[in-house]
């Protein structure tokens, strides 16, 4: 059984951040150092009493330093912190960071700083120009006469990135944060019929992959993953339950397995099942083609197990012996 404050804080890790974002594919595209930064942002939101969700436009890929390797720009205005909306931004200015590729294959963070917005323009030499818009207070000493002044950034060269002041009225970057809508609110929450069938394997930077499937009834998705060399199942709900602990029963052709699921705030509200306390992993990765699930004696319906044997065994191969 999972218990203790220390363990709860440790649950803000790559696999569970993937769950908290609704299983969006963005997670597999981020380098590990950027993923850790995103986890810290989620924790900041949760510490302030909010619930974080990645929105469209959070991470943008571009070759900023013309070395042929993708760089990234992150924009915290695209992290929707429901319940604590002003935790990252001040008067519309939100932190923007550049993540520049390094010769060793990693990425290093450069803090552009709070900005009202930003835009990207492809250059003929292969670089991407970054323009950030700022308030007049930021540019008070630059003699820039416009409603919002701008900085034009140069990320090439051996030293620190540099910038030059400019006017932003003629080439205004995209507006934000009002126009940004969190991904799960912008697209239909319900997956289409094809997406609901079977299990898939999601790559997670710096961690083991996650086996993921959409669930029946009130269960949005079910995921299997390794964390700290231990195996877990996580359940996310469309309408979150109010109880801290749930009794979840799985039926496999007449065989019933009951497991305790514990609510974890640092997992984006997911309920966590410790797979060392039961035989649930064998049931989900076994020969059954489907399983019916009930939560606290309320039937949720039938979940497909198509592809579960391969994906779950792959996701748990470093932490669980079948």
């Amino acid at each position: 059984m999972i218990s203790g404050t220390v363990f709860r804080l440790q649950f803000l890790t790559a696999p569970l951040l993937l769950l908290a974002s609704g299983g969006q594919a963005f997670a597999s595209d981020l380098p590990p150092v950027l993923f850790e930064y995103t986890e810290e942002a989620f924790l900041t939101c949760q510490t302030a009493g909010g619930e974080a969700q990645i929105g469209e436009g959070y991470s943008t890929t571009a070759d900023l330093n013309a070395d042929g390797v993708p760089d990234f720009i992150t924009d915290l205005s695209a992290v929707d912190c429901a319940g604590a909306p002003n935790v990252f931004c001040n008067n519309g200015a939100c932190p923007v960071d550049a993540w520049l590729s390094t010769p060793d294959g990693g990425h290093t963070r450069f803090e552009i700083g709070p900005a009202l917005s930003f835009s990207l323009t492809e250059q003929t030499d292969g670089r991407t120009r970054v323009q950030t818009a700022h308030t007049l207070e930021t540019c008070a000493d630059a003699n820039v006469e416009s409603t919002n002044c701008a900085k034009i950034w140069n990320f090439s060269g051996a030293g620190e990135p540099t910038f030059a002041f400019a006017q932003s009225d003629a080439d205004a970057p995209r507006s934000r944060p009002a126009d940004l809508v969190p991904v799960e609110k912008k697209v239909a929450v319900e997956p289409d019929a094809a997406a609901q069938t079977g299990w898939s394997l999601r790559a997670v930077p710096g961690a083991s992959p996650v086996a993921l499937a959409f669930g029946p009834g009130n269960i949005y998705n079910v995921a299997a993953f390794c964390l700290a060399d231990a195996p877990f199942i996580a359940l996310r709900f469309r309408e979150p339950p109010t109880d801290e602990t749930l009794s979840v029963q799985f039926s496999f052709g007449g065989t019933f397995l009951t497991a305790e699921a514990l609510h974890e705030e640092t997992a984006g509200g997911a309920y966590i099942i410790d797979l060392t306390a039961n035989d649930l992993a064998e049931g989900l990765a076994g020969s059954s083609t489907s399983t019916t699930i009930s939560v606290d004696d309320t039937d949720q319906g039938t979940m497909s197990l198509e592809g579960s044997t391969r994906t779950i065994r792959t996701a748990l191969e470093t932490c669980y012996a079948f």
Side-chain angles (χ1 to χ4, degrees), residues 44-212:
T44 297
C45 170
Q46 291 161 356
T47 301
E51 182 176 347
Q53 186 179 71
I54 296 294
E56 186 177 19
Y58 170 66
S59 174
T60 304
T61 304
D63 187 3
L64 302 178
N65 51 15
D67 64 353
V69 179
D71 306 303
F72 300 87
I73 295 179
T74 52
D75 181 358
L76 284 183
S77 75
V79 176
D80 177 32
C81 185
N86 298 316
V87 68
F88 299 121
C89 306
N90 184 22
N91 295 324
C94 309
V96 175
D97 292 277
W99 303 82
L100 305 174
S101 57
T102 56
D104 61 1
H107 286 78
T108 184
R109 175 188 176 194
F110 174 77
E111 298 183 37
I112 292 176
L116 296 173
S117 57
F118 74 93
S119 65
L120 304 178
T121 305
E122 294 290 336
Q123 303 295 294
T124 57
D125 62 359
R127 291 178 299 153
T128 299
R129 189 188 75 172
V130 179
Q131 175 177 311
T132 53
H134 302 270
T135 62
L136 284 177
E137 288 77 12
T138 301
C139 305
D141 298 328
N143 296 320
V144 177
E145 297 179 0
S146 62
T147 303
N148 292 316
C149 68
K151 293 179 180 179
I152 307 298
W153 292 89
N154 177 22
F155 291 97
S156 63
E160 284 281 299
T162 58
F163 67 86
F165 286 108
Q167 293 186 359
S168 64
D169 291 347
D171 184 21
R174 62 175 175 80
S175 59
R176 73 97 204 270
D179 290 350
L180 282 172
V181 180
V183 171
E184 286 193 351
K185 296 180 182 177
K186 187 173 183 179
V187 302
V189 172
E190 294 290 340
D192 59 31
Q196 294 187 57
T197 303
W199 289 67
S200 61
L201 202 64
R202 304 294 180 89
V204 178
S208 299
V210 174
L212 186 69

Side-chain angles (χ1 to χ4, degrees), residues 218-219 235 237 240-250 257-262 271 273 293-300:
N218 189 37
I219 301 173
L235 306 176
F237 292 87
T242 57
D243 294 336
E244 285 295 305
T245 304
L246 304 175
S247 177
V248 186
Q249 186 178 76
F250 298 79
L257 292 174
T258 302
E260 183 181 73
L262 182 68
Y271 283 75
I273 297 174
I293 307 176
S294 65
V295 177
D296 285 345
D297 297 323
T298 300
D299 181 44
Q300 301 298 316

Side-chain angles (χ1 to χ4, degrees), residues 257-275:
L257 292 174
T258 302
E260 183 181 73
L262 182 68
H263 180 250
E264 287 290 344
E265 293 183 0
T266 58
Y271 283 75
I272 309 301
I273 297 174
D274 181 359
L275 292 177

